[in-house]
Amino acid sequence: GNSVTQMEGPVTLSEEAFLTINCTYTATGYPSLFWYVQYPGEGLQLLLKATKADDKGSNKGFEATYRKETTSFHLEKGSVQVSDSAVYFCALSRLGSYIPTFGRGTSLIVHP
Amino acid sequence: SAVISQKPSRDICQRGTSLTIQCQVDSQVTMMFWYRQQPGQSLTLIATANQGSEATYESGFVIDKFPISRPNLTFSTLTVSNMSPEDSSIYLCSVGGEGNEQFFGPGTRLTVL
């Protein structure tokens, strides 16, 4: 079956530090890959996505590249801000399916 | 994208009572989804709600405990019945996008005493 594995949190960084949150997946076929962000007290928002191998999704300074050879979709940002403090969820969705498989989520805490 | 609202945003309820959560979408959609997010956990799909048919429940969730209505293409309700403290969670509704992504409502934060 499908599964998504994320690094455990919390990840604690100082402002302007470099961020990497690891995500690897197991899936049949060629899924679409997503990162969602959940700010405190809110629902999930789509942050970025990639639909095929070597695609790079990007948004708000965050990037992730669909690596089929390593079945990974690591989230990166060059310089985090306090406002980036949130829980980040990696997810995959098979073609034709609206029901994603979510990772456990990684909490990011950014200190001033 | 879709804009989704939920009511109530939060509630504190007594055990044994029921709470109905409303989900409103700003456009017509075929499928709506209900999720539960227990404290510090990921999302668990409760059921898929299609307009004009019975909801499809995931393993571990039953209609008697989580009845769902889907009266039209922009609205759905989820009822949490006969609540216990274990039902304390965030309940989220969502709809699918064209690229297999999902758009989520802000969630309903439920505490059962």
Side-chain angles (χ1 to χ4, degrees):
Chain A
N2 300 330
S3 67
V4 175
T5 302
Q6 290 182 236
M7 62 188 291
E8 292 219 13
V11 173
T12 304
L13 296 172
S14 298
E15 206 165 22
E16 299 183 2
F18 184 86
L19 168 71
T20 300
I21 300 178
N22 290 338
C23 171
T24 57
Y25 68 90
T26 303
T28 55
Y30 302 95
S32 295
L33 302 174
F34 308 88
W35 277 101
Y36 290 86
V37 58
Q38 186 176 32
Y39 297 104
E42 299 184 11
L44 275 72
Q45 302 174 25
L46 178 66
L47 180 59
L48 53 85
K49 70 177 184 180
T51 58
K52 60 182 187 296
D54 300 325
D55 267 3
K56 177 185 284 187
S58 61
N59 186 24
K60 300 182 180 180
F62 292 90
E63 294 182 338
T65 301
Y66 190 144
R67 300 287 189 200
K68 186 173 182 297
E69 63 277 12
T70 55
T71 62
S72 65
F73 193 54
H74 304 322
L75 182 68
E76 297 181 336
K77 187 174 185 183
S79 176
V80 294
Q81 306 300 312
V82 172
S83 57
D84 293 327
S85 298
V87 180
Y88 292 81
F89 292 91
C90 185
L92 68 83
S93 182
R94 287 168 48 201
L95 183 65
S97 171
Y98 282 115
I99 302 175
T101 299
F102 286 95
R104 293 175 59 86
T106 302
S107 175
L108 171 64
I109 302 169
V110 181
H111 294 294
Chain B
S1 65
V3 178
I4 303 170
S5 60
Q6 286 185 234
K7 290 181 182 178
S9 59
R10 61 178 67 243
D11 208 341
I12 301 173
C13 300
Q14 298 297 319
R15 70 171 66 212
T17 63
S18 298
L19 176 72
T20 295
I21 302 167
Q22 300 179 8
C23 179
Q24 180 77 50
V25 187
D26 68 342
S27 58
Q28 295 185 339
V29 294
T30 303
M31 290 189 289
M32 295 177 74
F33 306 91
W34 287 99
Y35 288 86
R36 182 175 72 184
Q37 185 181 20
Q38 294 179 302
Q41 302 296 314
S42 188
L43 282 72
T44 302
L45 182 66
I46 297 171
T48 303
N50 292 326
Q51 195 269 334
S53 63
E54 292 283 334
T56 302
Y57 289 84
E58 298 298 304
S59 176
F61 297 96
V62 295
I63 188 171
D64 289 347
K65 175 68 175 177
F66 297 100
I68 288 171
S69 78
R70 183 77 202 276
N72 58 52
L73 290 173
T74 64
F75 187 79
S76 178
T77 68
L78 169 76
T79 299
V80 186
S81 303
N82 188 25
M83 289 184 286
S84 66
E86 291 71 33
D87 294 319
S88 297
S89 289
I90 303 172
Y91 292 86
L92 296 152
C93 70
S94 73
V95 302
E98 291 182 356
N100 281 14
E101 68 272 20
Q102 294 227 325
F103 299 101
F104 288 86
T108 295
R109 284 148 183 81
L110 171 63
T111 301
V112 184
L113 303 177

